[in-house]
Amino acid sequence: MARNVEFSEEAAVQKAMEVFRRKGYSGASLRDLTDAMQINSSSLYNTIGDKRELFVRCIRSYTKASREEALLHKANHTSPLQGVISFIDAAINNIASNNNCMVIKMTFEIAGTDPDVKALLRQANEFAHTFLLQLIKEAIAQNELREDLDAETATNCIINAFTGWHESYILHQDTERIQKMAHYLIAQLTP
């Protein structure tokens, strides 16, 4: 008779995600993952699969949570500009909590060599781009942002700034520094 699964797969994936976030895909050993998940390797193989399958599930879970969080920025604000600022502030808070962005980390580590992971990360990037672009267009239409603002370029600058802010924080551990960069970026957008 088959043994019942004695752990929550969702909770286990969340624990594994933290290992991947800290150590990266290559640096995370199977032992690191199973220790964090508090399961043995046979339970991992029988329920989730191998390390790569676990990693893909972690990426899917992470990007789903990021999408849900982004949608809250829009839902919690009647002003599109406040939604943009909230989106940027959330990125800063995420960076300052030393919560390295799994998408950024994995883009540099394995997206170039793994087409499936690249596709998942590209979908996440395209969602963020489309989401932010819509907010910026709405803010321009409501005269909250400069009328002559190129919404596409502004969106690309904001999303790409996040990568630079992560790097800056890793090197300098200075929250005020990235907050100042964010305020400067927002000031460039407003009338």
Side-chain angles (χ1 to χ4, degrees), residues 62-167:
Y62 181 86
T63 57
K64 179 181 179 221
S66 295
R67 282 190 304 271
E68 291 169 357
E69 183 181 331
L71 293 172
L72 287 176
H73 296 292
K74 186 173 184 176
N76 291 337
H77 300 284
T78 55
S79 158
L81 177 58
Q82 287 306 310
V84 170
I85 292 169
S86 174
F87 189 75
I88 292 170
D89 286 343
I92 293 169
N93 292 336
N94 190 31
I95 293 165
S97 69
N98 229 355
N99 195 7
N100 293 328
C101 178
M102 192 167 176
V103 170
I104 292 173
K105 189 172 196 152
M106 294 309 120
T107 298
F108 288 107
E109 184 178 354
I110 68 170
T113 58
D114 187 317
D116 296 332
V117 170
K118 182 178 182 177
L120 287 172
L121 297 178
R122 186 175 183 157
Q123 287 172 351
N125 180 270
E126 287 171 356
F127 170 83
H129 183 274
T130 301
F131 171 79
L132 191 55
L133 179 62
Q134 184 60 39
L135 278 178
I136 288 173
K137 285 180 177 180
E138 290 173 17
I140 291 169
Q142 293 182 23
N143 297 318
E144 293 182 319
L145 294 176
R146 290 190 349 247
E147 183 180 334
D148 65 337
L149 186 69
D150 178 345
E152 182 77 29
T153 300
T155 300
N156 289 332
C157 286
I158 292 169
I159 289 176
N160 287 308
F162 295 164
T163 303
W165 297 346
H166 274 277
E167 177 188 13

Side-chain angles (χ1 to χ4, degrees), residues 4-86:
N4 290 335
V5 177
E6 297 178 6
F7 68 96
S8 162
E9 286 184 43
E10 185 176 322
V13 166
Q14 294 302 311
K15 290 174 183 175
M17 189 184 316
E18 290 307 312
V19 174
F20 286 127
R21 187 190 317 257
R22 278 191 331 273
K23 294 189 169 198
Y25 180 77
S26 299
S29 70
L30 191 57
R31 167 73 80 174
D32 294 332
L33 294 163
T34 56
D35 284 353
M37 297 165 68
Q38 299 175 329
I39 62 172
N40 60 41
S41 58
S42 63
S43 292
L44 173 66
Y45 288 117
N46 291 333
T47 57
I48 296 173
D50 63 10
K51 177 182 170 182
R52 184 179 175 285
E53 289 176 51
L54 174 61
F55 178 70
V56 168
R57 289 210 27 203
C58 288
I59 291 287
R60 284 190 179 123
S61 178
Y62 181 86
T63 57
K64 179 181 179 221
S66 295
R67 282 190 304 271
E68 291 169 357
E69 183 181 331
L71 293 172
L72 287 176
H73 296 292
K74 186 173 184 176
N76 291 337
H77 300 284
T78 55
S79 158
L81 177 58
Q82 287 306 310
V84 170
I85 292 169
S86 174

